[in-house]
């Protein structure tokens, strides 16, 4: 079986990237991470990729032609689909249309709560605690032109505890939801790409 080639886009620590790397050959069988692109130089996610022997690239918005340069790397490397794993830049409609149904994202809440433009990272958990919800979680969804608005693939709920801080909540949501459903969603999409190829 020819595995689906996956590019992971990152900006920071890359714990979700690590969960995907660790899932390869286990939960993630139909796809293989062949490229990691960061929009931030020095992101620890790049070290995680290098340690796993995965090709890396840095594409910074400030250098111009941001999406064109990402798309060139995606196409040159024959990438089948893209995973946004802590990628903190919103992609335009031009980019999301070019890779329609070929981009997925992990978001640290139960969409449609605490999502959309401006809701990223710790801010999501701060807002959940400020609202006083008792359950939150994570969502993996397809990416379209609406921030956090594409079709949902998987969600997993996580309990909020009375003494939670944004940091403790973020950690629990990662451990109990994100790191589990992101590899599962990656496998689901990779598997459907491999199957559709076999039926061609
Ligand atoms: C994760 O919690 C991810 O869900 C979130 O940023 C964190 C990145 O951590 N993404 C967003 O908020 C996107 N809207 P990581 O770099 O350790 O994977």
């Amino acid at each position: 079986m020819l595995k689906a080639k996956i590019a992971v886009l990152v900006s920071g620590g890359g714990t979700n990237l690590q969960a995907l790397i660790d899932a390869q050959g286990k939960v993630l069988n139909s796809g293989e991470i062949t490229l990691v692109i960061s929009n931030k130089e020095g992101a620890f996610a790049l070290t995680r990729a290098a340690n796993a022997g995965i090709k890396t690239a840095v594409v910074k918005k400030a250098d111009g032609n941001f999406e064109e340069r990402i798309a060139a790397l995606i196409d040159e490397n024959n990438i089948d689909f893209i995973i946004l794993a802590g990628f903190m830049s919103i992609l335009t409609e031009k980019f999301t249309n070019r890779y329609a149904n070929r981009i997925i994202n992990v978001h640290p809440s139960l969409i449609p709560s605490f999502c959309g433009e401006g809701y990223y990272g710790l801010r999501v958990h701060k807002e959940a605690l400020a609202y006083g919800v008792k359950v939150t979680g994570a969502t993996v969804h397809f990416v379209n032109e609406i921030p956090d608005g594409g079709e949902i693939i998987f969600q997993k709920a996580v309990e909020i505890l009375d003494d939670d801080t944004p940091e403790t909540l973020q950690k629990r949501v990662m451990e109990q939801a994100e790191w589990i459903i992101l590899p599962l969603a990656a496998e689901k999409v990779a598997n459907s790409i491999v199957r559709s190829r076999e039926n061609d």
Side-chain angles (χ1 to χ4, degrees), residues 11-17 45 48 85-88 105-108 119-121 124-125 148 170 174 178-179:
S11 303
T15 64
N16 279 289
L17 169 66
R48 295 181 190 273
F87 184 65
M88 302 304 186
N105 176 51
V106 60
H107 182 78
Y119 282 88
Y120 56 85
V124 178
H125 303 293
D148 297 323
Q170 180 181 51
M174 284 176 158
E178 296 185 51
W179 300 343

Side-chain angles (χ1 to χ4, degrees), residues 33-69:
I33 305 162
T34 56
L35 179 65
V36 170
I37 303 175
S38 173
N39 65 337
K40 295 266 185 289
E41 219 158 17
F44 188 63
L46 291 167
T47 305
R48 295 181 190 273
N51 287 343
I54 300 166
K55 182 172 172 180
T56 62
V58 175
V59 179
K60 289 187 281 182
K61 212 166 197 169
D63 293 340
N65 297 328
F66 183 59
E67 293 186 345
E68 289 77 3
R69 287 187 298 131

Side-chain angles (χ1 to χ4, degrees), residues 8 36 52 55 60 69 73 78 87 95 108 111-113 126 147 155 164 172:
V8 184
V36 170
K55 182 172 172 180
K60 289 187 281 182
R69 287 187 298 131
L73 283 167
N78 298 313
F87 184 65
F95 190 93
I111 289 174
S113 289
K126 277 185 190 151
Q155 289 188 305
D164 262 330
R172 190 170 330 100

Side-chain angles (χ1 to χ4, degrees), residues 93-130:
E93 185 168 3
K94 191 173 170 208
F95 190 93
T96 59
N97 280 349
R98 179 170 178 156
Y99 301 104
N101 300 313
R102 287 284 190 271
I103 313 174
I104 68 172
N105 176 51
V106 60
H107 182 78
S109 75
L110 294 173
I111 289 174
S113 289
F114 312 114
C115 65
E117 209 163 341
Y119 282 88
Y120 56 85
L122 218 47
R123 159 103 198 272
V124 178
H125 303 293
K126 277 185 190 151
E127 297 287 339
L129 291 176

Side-chain angles (χ1 to χ4, degrees), residues 68-185:
E68 289 77 3
R69 287 187 298 131
I70 295 175
L73 283 167
I74 297 297
D75 297 347
E76 279 160 22
N77 286 280
N78 298 313
I79 297 300
D80 291 302
F81 78 102
I82 301 167
I83 300 178
L84 309 183
F87 184 65
M88 302 304 186
S89 182
I90 291 179
L91 296 162
T92 67
E93 185 168 3
K94 191 173 170 208
F95 190 93
T96 59
N97 280 349
R98 179 170 178 156
Y99 301 104
N101 300 313
R102 287 284 190 271
I103 313 174
I104 68 172
N105 176 51
V106 60
H107 182 78
S109 75
L110 294 173
I111 289 174
S113 289
F114 312 114
C115 65
E117 209 163 341
Y119 282 88
Y120 56 85
L122 218 47
R123 159 103 198 272
V124 178
H125 303 293
K126 277 185 190 151
E127 297 287 339
L129 291 176
Y131 198 97
V133 291
K134 301 301 173 203
V135 174
T136 185
T139 304
V140 180
H141 62 93
F142 283 106
V143 174
N144 64 12
E145 69 284 1
I146 302 157
D148 297 323
E151 186 193 335
I152 291 172
I153 304 169
F154 286 124
Q155 289 188 305
K156 195 163 185 293
V158 174
E159 197 185 349
I160 293 183
L161 305 180
D162 286 343
D163 59 354
D164 262 330
T165 63
E167 289 78 11
T168 61
L169 184 56
Q170 180 181 51
K171 184 165 180 278
R172 190 170 330 100
V173 168
M174 284 176 158
E175 288 172 352
Q176 295 185 4
E178 296 185 51
W179 300 343
I180 298 165
I181 62 173
L182 184 58
L184 287 172

